[in-house]
Amino acid sequence: MDAMNREPGNGTQMVEDNDSNRADRTGRRDSLLLMAQMTLAGDAAPREVRVRNISEGGLMAELPLAVEIGAPITFDLRGIGPVAGRVAWSTQGRVGVAFDRPIDPKLVRKPVGGGTTTPDYAKPATGLRTRPFSY
């Protein structure tokens, strides 16, 4: 079954999801909720968006505005850095992006902090009784 993508604007022009486009999207996608900085071509400053899934070839993000299919776009991804790509599809509230180069999606899940301190709530309890309670 071929999927159809609507271009932004009046919604009348359709772009067919042909086999060559589909081949680029067959990689495994990791579902996640990640905040990232996104910059559209022509924007002066990046905007914060939520990334909903990611693969080595692209991602899907929540974006509350319509963008042109094929528009250049850059994401600053935690653990990876800036990654350039193009808008593959756009629908109300979401955008799909095809990266210009493959990435390792596992890197965005790795902690980026130094990890030198563990918060108290995450430390194991100390001073626990080792003998069973007697009633």
Side-chain angles (χ1 to χ4, degrees):
M1 177 165 90
D2 286 339
M4 302 295 259
N5 296 327
R6 291 193 185 274
E7 285 191 355
N10 64 12
T12 58
Q13 189 175 6
M14 304 293 274
V15 177
E16 188 172 337
D17 186 10
N18 61 28
D19 289 336
S20 64
N21 291 339
R22 194 175 303 118
D24 295 339
R25 299 188 53 205
T26 57
R28 180 167 182 257
R29 294 184 197 115
D30 292 332
S31 292
L32 52 83
L33 181 59
L34 169 75
M35 299 307 288
Q37 296 293 315
M38 180 207 74
T39 307
L40 282 166
D43 281 357
R47 67 182 75 222
E48 192 167 67
V49 296
R50 282 186 227 174
V51 175
R52 303 299 289 195
N53 69 45
I54 192 165
S55 70
E56 68 179 33
L59 60 76
M60 179 184 71
E62 293 178 1
L63 185 62
L65 56 103
V67 294
E68 292 290 326
I69 294 173
I73 193 167
T74 303
F75 281 84
D76 191 359
L77 298 171
R78 178 183 80 189
I80 295 176
V83 180
R86 300 217 172 259
V87 175
W89 56 267
S90 179
T91 189
Q92 186 176 1
R94 293 179 294 161
V95 64
V97 174
F99 296 142
D100 291 345
R101 63 176 172 84
I103 63 160
D104 182 354
K106 293 176 188 167
L107 293 177
V108 299
R109 292 186 179 273
K110 287 188 176 182
V112 293
T116 58
T117 60
T118 302
D120 288 337
Y121 64 84
K123 291 180 181 176
T126 58
L128 294 176
R129 294 175 53 132
T130 57
R131 292 183 289 151
F133 289 103
S134 59
Y135 294 98

